[in-house]
Structure formats: C-alpha cells, structure tokens
Amino acid sequence: MPLVHERIDVTIEDHIAQIKFARPEKMNALDAKMFEAIAMVGELLEADSSIRAVVVSGSGGNFCSGLDKSNFEGLLQQKGVSVDGGEKPTRLAERTHGIANLVQHVVWMWRELPVPVIAAIDGVALGGGLQICLGADIRVAAPDSRFSILEMKWGIIPDMSSSQIMRHLIRDDVIRELTYTARLFSAEEAKQWGFITHISDDPLKHALTLAENIVDKNPDAIRAAKRVIEQSYHQTPAQGLLAESVEQDKIMGTANQIEAVMAALQKRKPQFSN
C-alpha cells in the first residue's frame, strides 16, 4: 500500500498497519495537509483486505495537539477556516464524505473501517487530537499524557464527530463540564471517565501487542464483530438480535472459521486467508 505524504508515515507488517502522524515540530497539529493525509490513509486502509488491525500514534512524543493555530487567522479576519487547502473557506454543513464533512470524516472514518483501530497516545491529545483518538476502537495512553476538549478555548465547539462518539463512552455531566471549561485532564481521569481503555508506560508497544492478538483471530469474525458493535448503537433490540444472527450465519462453516477451530484444537498458530 504505497503512500507518499509529508504528514503521515505508514508501515504494514504481519497484517498490522501502523499509522504515525509525522509533524513533530508542531506537536502533530492539524492543518489542511494533515486533514488531507488522514483522509487519504483511510481510503487506502479500507481498500487493503490484507490489513487486520490498525495502530495510530504520533511522532515526537505527542499524539496530536489539535487544530493548527494558523487556521484561526481566517476566523479572526471573519473569513472562516479552510480545511481543504483552498483559498475560500469550506462550509462545514456541506456533506462531502458520506454523512460527514472532511473534519468529521478524519474521526468517523476510524469507526467505519472494517478492522479494529487502536490509538497509542503519548504527550497530548487536545481538541481535534482527542476526537481522533476517540474514533479508535481501543485507546492506550501513557501515564503522563494529557487531554482536553479544547475547542471552547478558541470560542468554538467540538465538531469532529465527538458528539456521536462520547455519548456512548462517557457520562453526560462529564462531557458537559469538560466541553464548557476546556480544562486539561489527566490519563487517570481519562481512564476513569471512559476516554481511554488502558494506561501503559509504553502505549505503542501495548497497542501493537493488542493488534497482534487480534491478527491471530478469524479476520472474518473480527470484521463481523465490529459491524455488529457499531450498528448496535443505532438499533432496536430486535434489529440488534437479528444482526447478530445474520452475521453468524455468514461465518459458520467457512474456511477461516474452521481453521480457527482446528488451530485451537491442535494448539497451533492459525493460518487465515484474507
């Protein structure tokens, strides 16, 4: 999967795609080129059926510090913000990527990817950076990492899909307090409230270990499980129960499902097909 872009490094090995934001001098802040790069990566990941897990991290000791402050020059001049690199500001209400605009897409796309996504968080995950890591299925953070729903500091609201993700993870009053105050919070608080899954001294190593565990499972069942979980948030009980059965009917008796059983019985590493 070739990708040449100055903002993101991509490596693929043993069915795991490692995505690393590569703007360390700006704490991996989000500018037009970064938005473009993340969207491009999403398209390439979705098209590569050999990938079974994705690990997202930042370079230079930080995950992502949020929107590049240079983007606010347009706001101060009452011109709006361009997120696509063009001279004219983009109307955010315009749907350009399915149900989303571009800035929402770079978060929501991790939920729409067919395989599990794990975020490994060092340093800061602020504003848009926090929203991006919330798009992951699993989030592992360093003990000294810091977080913030930062947008209110700049007089705006969080608008990169977090309203549709946080409500399934975090208590309503906690969301409201952190949104209204824009205050920093710690990894311990983030774990307590549901923003992150694990705290680890080496988040990237921890994330890769989780990814390796996922890769050893039936990839068809992993993809089906992600579909069922994602759909469940928007279904009635009857719809959810039916979705489970439909997916299971598709899996049972297939080559990869049989291989999972045989590998478990024979106590060996499974050999799945893509």
Side-chain angles (χ1 to χ4, degrees):
M1 184 185 76
L3 175 67
V4 179
H5 202 288
E6 62 189 281
R7 292 290 190 261
I8 292 185
D9 295 327
V10 178
T11 58
I12 300 174
E13 187 175 356
D14 297 329
H15 304 288
I16 299 171
Q18 288 195 56
I19 313 302
K20 187 178 287 290
F21 302 141
R23 202 185 181 205
E25 73 282 0
K26 293 288 187 177
M27 300 171 71
N28 302 313
L30 300 164
D31 63 354
K33 289 184 178 180
M34 184 72 87
F35 282 115
E36 171 191 278
I38 296 171
M40 183 188 304
V41 165
E43 293 176 6
L44 295 172
L45 292 174
E46 191 166 6
D48 192 337
S49 61
S50 72
I51 295 171
R52 301 178 189 170
V54 177
V55 174
V56 184
S57 62
S59 58
N62 289 289
F63 185 77
C64 175
S65 59
L67 193 65
D68 191 313
K69 294 183 180 64
S70 64
N71 283 272
F72 291 112
E73 292 178 4
L75 283 177
L76 293 174
Q77 297 170 18
Q78 297 184 332
K79 293 180 179 179
V81 174
S82 174
V83 295
D84 59 6
E87 293 183 2
K88 294 184 178 180
T90 301
R91 298 299 301 175
L92 295 175
E94 181 181 351
R95 303 294 89 180
T96 57
H97 293 72
I99 64 171
N101 61 31
L102 175 60
V103 299
Q104 293 168 332
H105 175 67
V106 301
V107 175
W108 197 253
M109 72 178 204
W110 305 111
R111 292 278 161 153
E112 291 187 328
L113 279 180
V115 298
V117 179
I118 306 167
I121 305 155
D122 279 306
V124 298
L126 309 177
L130 173 60
Q131 294 184 77
I132 288 173
C133 73
L134 288 176
D137 296 74
I138 302 164
R139 296 161 298 282
V140 184
D144 59 353
S145 55
R146 294 172 295 154
F147 305 83
S148 175
I149 305 175
L150 191 64
E151 286 76 7
M152 199 63 67
K153 177 178 179 179
W154 309 113
I156 58 176
I157 64 169
D159 67 338
M160 291 173 59
S161 303
S162 64
S163 67
Q164 298 309 300
I165 298 174
M166 287 193 295
R167 64 194 179 103
H168 299 299
L169 300 173
I170 300 143
R171 271 190 1 229
D172 178 82
D173 59 328
V174 172
I175 295 172
R176 290 170 186 267
E177 179 203 337
L178 296 175
T179 300
Y180 302 156
T181 64
R183 73 173 179 86
L184 286 171
F185 54 97
S186 67
E188 286 289 347
E189 290 173 309
K191 186 174 186 299
Q192 174 188 341
W193 292 327
F195 286 93
I196 61 174
T197 316
H198 303 289
I199 295 176
S200 172
D201 290 331
D202 191 336
L204 183 56
K205 181 179 180 181
H206 190 135
L208 287 170
T209 299
L210 288 172
E212 290 165 3
N213 189 303
I214 290 168
V215 165
D216 280 342
K217 306 299 186 294
N218 176 1
D220 301 330
I222 290 289
R223 288 172 177 245
K226 180 161 181 174
R227 284 194 297 270
V228 169
I229 293 168
E230 286 299 319
Q231 293 168 5
S232 69
Y233 296 125
H234 314 290
Q235 293 175 321
T236 66
Q239 291 170 328
L241 293 175
L242 178 59
E244 289 180 2
S245 301
V246 169
E247 293 289 358
Q248 197 77 303
D249 281 341
K250 294 176 183 177
I251 295 169
M252 294 294 291
T254 61
N256 278 343
Q257 191 266 320
I258 293 171
E259 171 62 10
V261 173
M262 296 306 296
L265 292 175
Q266 296 169 6
K267 298 181 180 180
R268 60 172 172 81
K269 186 178 179 67
Q271 300 296 318
F272 297 116
S273 59
N274 294 330

